[in-house]
Amino acid sequence: MITLTGITDLFEALTIFCFGLSWPISIRKSIISRTAKGKSLFFEVFLLIGYAFGIARKFIQMSRLGGSGFLFYLSFFFYVLNFIEISIDVALYFRNRRLDEIADSKN
């Protein structure tokens, strides 16, 4: 029998999964374009903060509320995966900004 907690864990996992689908595309674009133009570091940092809060929420649920089950851990996994993907994109932003500066200095 599916419980209300199970349904909310499923919806949370699916939400985080859907958000996370865009990050590999963004990372690929950052690698190929080799420019930081059009990227917002401000936006990505706030996403990192949001995912950090989501991860903290999961730790609180595990320790205080006894969060468990496959869907609970699946959503936790997607929070961590998205955090890592955004971190990679932020690192690429700094690489690309440096490449932009080098290109601008040659002109």
Side-chain angles (χ1 to χ4, degrees), residues 56-68 72-73:
R57 177 180 177 266
K58 288 299 183 183
F59 278 120
I60 292 168
Q61 283 181 314
M62 282 187 273
S63 65
R64 295 283 187 167
L65 305 174
S68 63
F72 176 85
Y73 290 107

Side-chain angles (χ1 to χ4, degrees), residues 30 78 96:
S30 293
F78 287 137
N96 289 345

Side-chain angles (χ1 to χ4, degrees), residues 16 19-20 23 47-56 79 82-83 86:
I16 302 305
F19 288 159
W23 291 113
L47 285 171
L48 278 174
I49 292 167
Y51 282 117
F53 281 127
I55 292 167
Y79 275 117
N82 288 347
F83 188 90
I86 296 169

